[in-house]
């Protein structure tokens, strides 16, 4: 089945130690998103790629970076994780450029910062 | 900027009964999409139903239907014949139809199904 895959499902890191979360998709969608979801809160968009074009949200901290080496993969890099960055990170994809484009979500990576 | 409000943090319903989840939004746009997403515990978020703002007819997907009131900026979700598998967090979301790919989510409603 075509899907959005996130690895790892659970990630533990230390305060200040860089961490990378990965997302891959078999849907061949041209748009990929990263959301941060803290406990009992709505998902918050960090940034998205439309093809190779990177679109950062205005309030996304500089500590968060992203890479998309090809259509299938997208990475979220947290350069110096703080305790406040502990959250579920959701990757999603969509087929952009159409009048309606459903977003398909991965299962998420739960990040713990010690 | 658009905002989405879900005023019910938690709801519960007896199995086989009907429940309605509320959502209101604020926008100055006339053309947009509204969605309800379901996020089961420890599982990925999936789309339940969507509504295009220019369509007056309320969307329906099997046991799920919406009551879309454009003038009131209200978009509620009705779940009929509730099943145990409906237990989840439900998020209402808004998307503009003007090139921005962004979804704006509400804070969610946790739905519990009582056997």
């Amino acid at each position: 089945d075509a899907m959005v895959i996130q690895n790892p499902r659970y990630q533990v890191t230390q305060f200040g130690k860089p961490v990378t979360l990965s997302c891959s998709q078999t849907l061949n969608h041209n748009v990929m998103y990263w959301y941060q979801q803290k406990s009992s809160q709505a998902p918050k968009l960090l940034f998205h790629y439309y093809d190779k074009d990177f679109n950062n949200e205005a309030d996304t901290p500089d500590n968060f970076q992203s890479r998309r080496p090809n259509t299938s993969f997208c990475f979220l890099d947290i350069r110096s994780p703080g305790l406040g960055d502990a959250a579920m990170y959701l990757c999603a994809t969509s087929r952009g450029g159409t009048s309606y484009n459903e977003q398909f979500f991965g299962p998420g990576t739960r990040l713990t910062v010690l | 900027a658009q905002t989405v409000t879900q005023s019910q943090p938690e709801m519960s319903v007896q199995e086989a009964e009907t429940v309605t989840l509320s959502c209101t939004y604020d926008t100055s746009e006339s053309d947009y999409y509204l969605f309800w997403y379901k996020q089961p515990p420890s599982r990925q978020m999936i789309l339940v139903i969507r509504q295009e703002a220019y369509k007056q007819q309320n969307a329906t997907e099997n046991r799920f239907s919406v009551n879309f009131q454009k003038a009131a900026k209200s978009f509620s979700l009705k779940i009929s014949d509730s099943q145990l598998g409906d237990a989840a967090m439900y998020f209402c979301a808004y998307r503009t139809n003007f090139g921005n790919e962004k979804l704006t989510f509400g804070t969610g409603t946790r739905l519990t199904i009582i056997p």
Side-chain angles (χ1 to χ4, degrees):
Chain A
D1 287 341
M3 56 176 56
V4 181
I5 303 159
Q6 290 189 245
N7 285 306
R9 293 291 308 276
Y10 300 89
Q11 176 74 58
V12 180
T13 190
Q14 291 182 332
F15 183 94
K17 184 175 181 180
V19 65
T20 295
L21 310 182
S22 72
C23 176
S24 63
Q25 53 126 343
T26 60
L27 297 160
N28 203 31
H29 285 167
N30 56 338
V31 190
M32 295 187 77
Y33 312 78
W34 280 104
Y35 290 88
Q36 180 192 62
Q37 185 180 23
K38 295 188 175 180
S39 180
S40 302
Q41 295 185 20
K44 177 181 178 298
L45 183 65
L46 296 173
F47 26 58
H48 75 275
Y49 273 95
Y50 195 123
D51 294 320
K52 295 182 179 180
D53 293 333
F54 179 69
N55 298 272
N56 199 27
E57 292 299 299
D59 56 355
T60 298
D62 292 341
N63 197 27
F64 292 86
Q65 304 284 319
S66 186
R67 296 170 284 134
R68 189 179 186 186
N70 54 52
T71 300
S72 301
F73 284 86
C74 194
F75 300 98
L76 170 62
D77 300 309
I78 309 177
R79 294 190 300 186
S80 181
L83 298 179
D85 297 328
M88 177 74 85
Y89 289 88
L90 302 174
C91 176
T93 73
S94 70
R95 184 168 55 235
T98 57
S99 59
Y100 159 65
N101 54 353
E102 174 187 348
Q103 290 192 18
F104 292 81
F105 285 82
T109 295
R110 183 167 297 283
L111 178 68
T112 300
V113 181
L114 301 177
Chain B
Q2 295 82 19
T3 59
V4 178
T5 302
Q6 293 179 250
S7 59
Q8 306 154 315
E10 296 184 357
M11 292 281 286
S12 61
V13 62
Q14 206 83 27
E15 192 175 3
E17 296 295 309
T18 296
V19 64
T20 299
L21 308 184
S22 301
C23 174
T24 59
Y25 58 95
D26 187 28
T27 184
S28 58
E29 298 173 340
S30 59
D31 195 11
Y32 49 86
Y33 294 95
L34 296 165
F35 306 85
W36 279 98
Y37 277 88
K38 170 185 178 181
Q39 188 177 36
S42 301
R43 295 179 62 188
Q44 62 207 82
M45 197 175 310
I46 57 172
L47 179 67
V48 174
I49 198 166
R50 67 177 172 96
Q51 175 78 41
E52 296 157 77
Y54 63 87
K55 289 187 176 180
Q56 293 188 345
Q57 186 173 5
N58 289 323
T60 299
E61 290 285 344
N62 300 314
R63 298 184 294 107
F64 298 87
S65 61
V66 299
N67 184 2
F68 173 49
Q69 302 288 329
K70 191 172 184 179
K73 297 179 182 175
S74 171
F75 182 61
S76 61
L77 174 69
K78 185 171 82 171
I79 306 174
S80 303
D81 185 25
S82 298
Q83 300 175 1
L84 294 178
D86 295 334
M89 197 76 167
Y90 286 82
F91 290 97
C92 179
Y94 172 102
R95 178 184 172 266
T96 182
N97 196 29
F98 293 101
N100 189 329
E101 305 289 334
K102 179 179 178 177
L103 278 177
T104 301
F105 286 91
T107 51
T109 296
R110 183 173 303 281
L111 179 65
T112 300
I113 310 298
I114 303 167

